Amino acid sequence: MSVFTHIEAEHQLSWIKEIHRILSSDGIFLFTIHGKKYVWNLNRTDLGDLKVNGAITKSFSQKGHRMMTTYNTSAHFREMILSYFIILEFYDGIEYPCKTGGQDLWIVPKATNK
């Protein structure tokens, strides 16, 4: 579920493409990202970078470690996945905190046009 929260922002699109490639034609991908509910963890500079870039990674010495965290805006992530997946359902972590502990939940079937 919480894979993209621990993948550096600059590598997320590559992961999206690979998941699209390996998912069966009728497959559905369910995942979460750190959305609006978690921005309180960011300082003012990070918030500015998130607003400008749509994503920001807070590094940790060990890549992929749970303490290395990437934050995304839903608009940015939506733009990244729309060429590869159809958005079946999206649950904002603030509006639906019981779904996945406050992370944004995405349920997306594979787009067949790619």
Side-chain angles (χ1 to χ4, degrees):
M1 290 274 294
S2 186
V3 174
F4 286 102
T5 56
H6 303 291
I7 295 173
E8 293 165 309
E10 61 267 19
H11 299 296
Q12 289 182 335
L13 183 57
S14 295
W15 276 80
I16 289 166
K17 290 176 181 179
E18 180 63 8
I19 291 165
H20 178 270
R21 185 186 72 78
I22 65 172
L23 192 66
S24 66
S25 61
D26 60 348
I28 295 177
F29 180 38
L30 182 134
F31 63 92
T32 60
I33 62 170
H34 275 333
K36 291 185 289 190
K37 182 171 169 110
Y38 289 92
V39 297
W40 63 269
N41 289 318
L42 301 174
N43 63 36
R44 187 174 301 221
T45 302
D46 294 337
L47 286 170
D49 291 345
L50 179 64
K51 185 176 182 179
V52 169
N53 300 316
I56 184 172
T57 298
K58 298 298 288 180
S59 296
F60 190 76
S61 58
Q62 182 182 350
K63 291 189 184 294
H65 190 278
R66 66 178 181 82
M67 296 302 291
M68 194 266 330
T69 307
T70 297
Y71 301 82
N72 289 275
T73 64
S74 58
H76 170 74
F77 214 88
R78 178 180 307 269
E79 185 178 314
M80 266 200 309
I81 67 171
L82 275 179
S83 293
Y84 303 94
F85 296 95
I86 299 162
I87 299 168
L88 185 61
E89 295 183 44
F90 168 75
Y91 297 95
D92 183 295
I94 290 178
E95 295 176 38
Y96 300 94
C98 294
K99 294 275 185 199
T100 55
Q103 291 187 7
D104 292 353
L105 172 63
W106 298 77
I107 302 172
V108 298
K110 183 176 184 174
T112 56
N113 61 341
K114 268 296 207 186

